[in-house]
Structures are given as structure tokens and as C-alpha cells.
Amino acid sequence: MKKLHVVSLGCSKNLVDSEVMLAKLQDYTITSNLGEADVIIINTCGFIEAAKKESLSHIFEALNERKKGALLVASGCLVARYAKEIKEMIPEIDILTGVSDYNKIDSMIANKQDSIRNEVYLQQDEQRIITGSNIHAYIKISEGCNQTCSFCAIPSFKGKLQSRSIDSILKEIDNLSKQGFKDISFIAQDTSSFLRDKGINDGLLKLINAIDAQGALSSARILYLYPSSTDIDLLDAIAKSNIFQNYYDMPIQHISNKVLNHMQRSSKDVIKLLEYMKKIPNSFVRSSVIVGYPTEKEEDFNELCDFLESFKFDRLNIFEYSKEEGTKAGNLEEIPRKIRTQRINKIKKIVSKIEKNKFSNMLNKEIECIIEGKSAISSHFYSARDKRWAKDIDGEILVNDGEYNDVGYYNVRITQCKDNILVGSIVNK
């Protein structure tokens, strides 16, 4: 049987697309050894400069290490954004495909044919091979984005918002649930705008209610709420749900009104929404910020620092501004790298202190967790996470005591906390 090696880069949305390709290529045996693969797929990310460099690095590695006759496929965002340039710069790539035809990868490989179209692939009823978990899966509810953030190039190659139907999502949930996947993270570029392309402003709220009524899942969470398309009714729907965790992931990017206006992001009600989330019992609030945006003055940066210190997000992603061609902000003069680095380091210190306190406060508490098997850190530990937490990004609880039967939901008591490493013991399943 021929062997397949797949590298999925970037976000969880890319991972879903990679899983669609895996399902189309079930005649292949998956191998982690690049050098023995007959087909190599690099599903690229092209969001920011660092991601582009990482994608190209994997492509060149594959070219250098592939065996004679092996087919190299480059797919995804980087290809969609720079197909012409990549074809000219790296003609050794056998097949190029962007973000439109993941479900046709088998025929592309069979015919050794490129497929670059100005469309985006929106999964409906295709099968996927879920990777990385026996209980958790991602479900993508839409593609594209109607927002006009000045720093983001995604709409230029993924286009406008295109939402799936609620029925197609419920069908996928039913299928995954029957396979044992009971914990789902719902994702999109802008989840809170779900169905707005169909003229429905409360689409995500309707989806939450439909999933609750279906009752096929044990837990779920929503990633990437957008401030201007999020309201109190949506936050309440999440809080009232028996399935959706009180998990609020809303990237704010900044807090200075001046910077937000330059970013072409609404500053209206952002703090009000955040404060409301924080007051919801047992809530977990995550966000993202961009540091070093071209118009960010010292006073804007200080305002951001003050807000982060006072609000104390449960988790925070920190991104250094990346200049991207084709964006409005890409025409602005950049802040010197030295200043950007200084600002990033200051923010990291603030976040590190807050997270240390958050983890310390979990000591001796009993938490409902999901245990997914052995930890990658050591075979002596099982890997658990707070049921509210998103997989891989919010942390891990190492379990070394108690009765473990199989992947599933357990009550875990936190017994140790050192250097943001949590250790716990199972109380019961």
C-alpha cells in the first residue's frame, strides 16, 4: 500500500481541511516518516510573515528529503494567496491547490493536476478522518469573512462570509457523536457572524439552541467571536446552554479607541461585553491582542497594558504586528522592531504574572475534566484539561493518581502547581 505524509500548518480551520483530504486518501497508509512517503501534502498557512516562512520551510524540507518519484502537493492559504509566485519560484512542486478543492485531492493526485480557483471550500457532508483525539473534534461552521480589518489579508483570498446550513452541521455532529466524539470546538474566521450572509443576524444563537435540542454532545465551545457581531443575547445563550461551556473567546486586538479605529475594528461595547462575560458564573475568557500596530503610540500601548493588568484574561494570545501586502495597514510606516520587541516583552510579563496566579488559584480545587489518554510529556501521566478549555491552547493538567478507565469525563482534584504545571488526581468518572 502506498504511504502518505501530511503536514497541516496554521490554525484549527486548516486542520479540518487536512482531515477532509485524509478521508479522501484512505487507500494510503499514513506515515510520519517524510522520506518513505509516496505522496507528501503540505497544507500551508499564509496569514502572517512567520507562518509563510514556516510553510516554505516545510516545502523545501520535503523537496530535499522526499524519495525518488514521491509526489509533493502544496495546498492551503499560502498557495491560494501566492499561487503564481510559488509556481515560478518552486517549479519542483508537483501539484498546487489553494483553498477550494480539498474534497477533490484524490482526483488531483491521480491526474497529477493543479487546481487553483478563486473559490473557497465549504464542507457540507464530506467525511473526515479526525486526528489528535478520540473524543474532541473541530467543526467549521463558515468560511470567509465580511470584516475589513486593516491588518488582515484573509478576505483577499478566502472571500466573503459563506455559512453552512444548520442542518448540515447537525448532521456532522450526529455522525461524529456516533464515532465517540462528544467534545466539539466550533470554528470560523468570525463565528458570531454565522448566517449573516443569509440575512439572519442571530444565526449562532439559533445554532446553539439547535445543538442543545439535538442533545448529541457532552460539551462544546465556540472560538473566535467578533466584537461587533456579538451581543448580550448570544453570551446569555452560551451561559444557559447545557452543552456549551461558558467559554468566551473574543479577540479584541487592542483596547485603545484610536488604534481600533485605524484597525477598522469597532470599539463600541467591547469593554461592556468583556465585563459581562467575566461576571457569568464559571466563565473562562480568552482574547488576542496585536502589539506594535503602526499607529500605536506609547500612550496607546500603556492603555493596553493597564487594561490587561486590570481585566486579567484567563488566557491571552499575543501577536506582534505583521506587515502584509494587500492590506490597508501594509502601506503604513512600521514601528521599529526594537520598540515592538520591548512592548511584546512587557505584555508577556504581564500575562505571565496573571496566568501564574490563575493556575495557583486552582490548587486543591475539584474540576470537571476531559482526559484523553497518556500525556506527551511523560508516559507516567495522563493528559487532562478543564472541560471548559479548548484543546491544545489553554493548558494541560497532568494526572498521576486515581482510577482511569478510558478517554472521557472525570472529576480531578488539583494537588500540585509549580511553574504553571498542574498535577491532579482522579476523584471519580
Side-chain angles (χ1 to χ4, degrees):
M1 185 178 283
K2 289 188 174 183
K3 295 184 178 182
L4 171 69
H5 179 82
V6 178
V7 178
S8 188
L9 301 169
C11 64
S12 51
K13 297 180 284 295
N14 251 25
L15 178 62
V16 170
D17 298 328
S18 296
E19 291 172 345
V20 170
M21 290 193 285
L22 287 173
K24 289 292 180 179
L25 299 170
Q26 293 187 63
D27 290 341
Y28 290 80
T29 299
I30 302 298
T31 176
S32 59
N33 186 341
L34 190 157
E36 68 178 22
D38 298 288
V39 174
I40 302 162
I41 299 176
I42 312 294
N43 195 16
T44 63
C45 177
F47 179 43
I48 57 176
E49 190 62 30
K52 289 184 276 188
K53 288 180 178 178
E54 182 185 19
S55 294
L56 289 171
S57 174
H58 279 278
I59 289 171
F60 287 123
E61 180 186 10
L63 287 171
N64 290 331
E65 296 189 16
R66 66 175 172 173
K67 69 181 184 181
K68 186 176 180 180
L71 208 65
L72 176 59
V73 182
S75 64
C77 296
L78 185 74
V79 179
R81 193 173 174 188
Y82 301 105
K84 183 181 177 182
E85 293 87 343
I86 291 173
K87 199 173 186 70
E88 292 174 354
M89 184 175 75
I90 321 174
E92 298 89 351
I93 297 174
D94 298 291
I95 298 173
L96 289 173
T97 179
V99 294
S100 59
D101 292 315
Y102 295 107
N103 60 331
K104 298 175 183 175
I105 188 67
D106 50 346
S107 63
M108 279 187 275
I109 290 173
N111 298 317
K112 294 186 179 179
Q113 187 175 30
D114 293 344
S115 179
I116 306 293
R117 298 190 295 130
N118 291 325
E119 294 181 20
V120 69
Y121 170 70
L122 183 62
Q123 183 192 354
Q124 294 297 338
D125 299 322
E126 284 83 9
Q127 185 183 356
R128 285 192 287 142
I129 302 296
I130 307 301
T131 60
S133 177
N134 291 320
I135 192 170
H136 173 271
Y138 294 99
I139 290 182
K140 194 191 300 189
I141 63 174
S142 68
E143 263 295 1
C145 186
N146 286 349
Q147 308 299 342
T148 58
C149 301
S150 64
F151 53 83
C152 182
I154 288 176
S156 70
F157 58 88
K158 287 215 167 181
K160 293 290 187 179
L161 176 71
Q162 297 179 54
S163 300
R164 294 174 63 179
S165 68
I166 289 178
D167 284 345
S168 79
I169 295 169
L170 294 178
K171 185 176 179 180
E172 185 174 9
I173 290 170
D174 184 60
N175 179 44
L176 290 172
S177 175
K178 288 174 180 176
Q179 297 176 55
F181 296 99
K182 295 293 186 179
D183 180 53
I184 301 292
S185 295
F186 292 89
I187 54 175
Q189 267 80 39
D190 171 11
T191 51
S192 46
S193 289
F194 175 65
L195 289 182
R196 290 196 173 202
D197 54 316
K198 312 295 185 188
I200 301 171
N201 288 336
D202 60 347
L204 188 56
L205 191 152
K206 283 181 165 60
L207 178 62
I208 290 168
N209 292 337
I211 291 169
D212 275 340
Q214 182 188 34
L217 299 176
S218 298
S219 55
R221 65 203 59 75
I222 299 166
L223 277 62
Y224 318 126
L225 299 172
Y226 194 90
S228 64
S229 51
T230 299
D231 58 25
I232 298 300
D233 288 343
L234 176 58
L235 302 184
D236 282 341
I238 294 170
K240 292 173 184 175
S241 170
N242 291 321
I243 292 172
F244 284 86
Q245 302 303 296
N246 294 348
Y247 185 93
Y248 299 100
D249 173 33
M250 191 174 76
I252 60 171
Q253 310 305 8
H254 217 281
I255 204 64
S256 162
N257 286 340
K258 288 188 292 182
V259 175
L260 288 171
N261 287 337
H262 278 287
M263 287 180 169
Q264 296 182 184
R265 291 177 66 90
S266 173
S267 58
K268 182 183 177 183
D269 295 334
V270 171
I271 293 179
K272 177 184 174 183
L273 289 168
L274 290 172
E275 293 291 355
Y276 195 86
M277 294 172 193
K278 197 173 184 180
K279 290 177 182 177
I280 291 172
N282 201 36
S283 66
F284 186 93
V285 185
R286 163 182 273 281
S287 192
S288 301
V289 294
I290 294 173
V291 179
Y293 185 80
T295 63
E296 181 187 71
K297 306 297 183 186
E298 191 69 29
E299 57 266 29
D300 300 315
F301 174 69
N302 290 335
E303 183 181 352
L304 177 61
C305 289
D306 291 343
F307 178 75
L308 296 179
E309 283 187 304
S310 63
F311 187 82
K312 295 179 172 58
F313 285 100
D314 291 291
R315 299 290 186 275
L316 186 75
N317 280 348
I318 309 162
F319 293 99
E320 181 179 353
Y321 170 74
S322 176
K323 183 175 183 176
E324 296 299 318
E325 63 272 19
T327 64
K328 187 175 179 180
N331 297 319
L332 300 174
E333 184 179 348
E334 290 184 277
I335 293 173
R337 171 60 63 84
K338 182 179 179 180
I339 294 176
R340 299 205 308 268
T341 301
Q342 289 172 346
R343 291 179 181 178
I344 284 278
N345 289 338
K346 183 173 181 180
I347 294 280
K348 283 182 176 179
K349 286 180 181 178
I350 293 170
V351 171
S352 177
K353 182 179 178 181
I354 292 168
E355 288 191 352
K356 184 177 180 180
N357 289 332
K358 295 274 185 183
F359 280 108
S360 296
N361 289 337
M362 294 174 69
L363 191 60
N364 298 320
K365 290 185 177 178
E366 191 173 308
I367 298 166
E368 190 171 359
C369 290
I370 298 172
I371 300 183
E372 299 210 38
K374 294 288 187 181
S375 171
I377 292 176
S378 169
S379 60
H380 297 293
F381 295 98
Y382 291 102
S383 177
R385 58 183 163 90
D386 187 319
K387 190 170 77 167
R388 297 171 302 169
W389 295 357
K391 180 174 168 56
D392 296 330
I393 63 173
D394 289 322
E396 180 183 32
I397 300 168
L398 302 176
V399 173
N400 64 350
D401 193 20
E403 186 177 345
Y404 173 79
N405 299 312
D406 198 2
V407 170
Y409 296 81
Y410 295 80
N411 287 331
V412 173
R413 182 175 296 280
I414 306 301
T415 56
Q416 297 177 52
C417 176
K418 185 177 182 181
D419 299 328
N420 287 7
I421 297 175
L422 297 171
V423 179
S425 59
I426 294 171
V427 178
N428 55 57
K429 188 170 184 179

